[in-house]
Structure formats: C-alpha cells, structure tokens
Amino acid sequence: MDLFDSRIPRLEKRVARIEHKLDLILAHLGLTEPEPWSDEVNALVRDGRKIQAIKVYREATGAGLKEAKEAVDKLG
C-alpha cells in the first residue's frame, strides 16, 4: 500500500466529521435540505425495512454504521 492509499480512510473520516458538523449547524439554524435519497430511505422505513434503509443511507452519505442507524431510527 502506498502513501496515497493509506491516507484515503483518514480523509474519508475527516470529510464525514465535517459533514456531521455542517448538519449540526443546519439543524441549529432550523434549516433543512432534502436529500435526493431521502425519499427512498423514508419509504424503506415505512415498509419496515430498516436494515436496507441503513444500507442506502450509508451508501448515499458515507456515514458510519452507528450514525446511519441513529439517523434511520429518528425516521421511524
């Protein structure tokens, strides 16, 4: 593994932390931005398919398992 490959996971985690902080700021300001994937995640939750909803959320956002589960749990 070269130097570039070893930096990718760290950069992905850093981007995820930055996105999380932005989400907190938006929530604090009472602003919402609907995501294009949110309809699919909401439909999966309504259909009782939480695991699939978590997978879709993770793929769309790059979130970790815990963060994705918490987000999906808030939906239903």
Side-chain angles (χ1 to χ4, degrees):
M1 183 173 1
D2 65 22
L3 180 62
F4 181 75
D5 290 336
S6 67
R7 295 174 95 189
I8 291 175
R10 286 188 308 188
L11 292 173
E12 288 174 343
K13 287 180 183 179
R14 187 173 182 196
V15 168
R17 284 194 311 270
I18 292 168
E19 288 177 342
H20 178 70
K21 289 176 183 181
L22 286 173
D23 289 341
L24 291 173
I25 292 168
L26 288 171
H28 178 74
L29 296 173
L31 302 173
T32 59
E33 179 183 355
E35 301 288 348
W37 47 264
S38 63
D39 290 339
E40 181 180 4
V41 171
N42 284 323
L44 289 166
V45 170
R46 277 193 310 272
D47 293 343
R49 299 175 59 199
K50 279 186 143 181
I51 293 173
Q52 186 63 29
I54 291 168
K55 288 180 182 179
V56 170
Y57 185 92
R58 289 187 71 194
E59 289 172 7
T61 65
L65 180 59
K66 181 181 177 191
E67 182 183 350
K69 184 182 180 313
E70 290 171 354
V72 168
D73 286 343
K74 287 180 185 177
L75 296 174

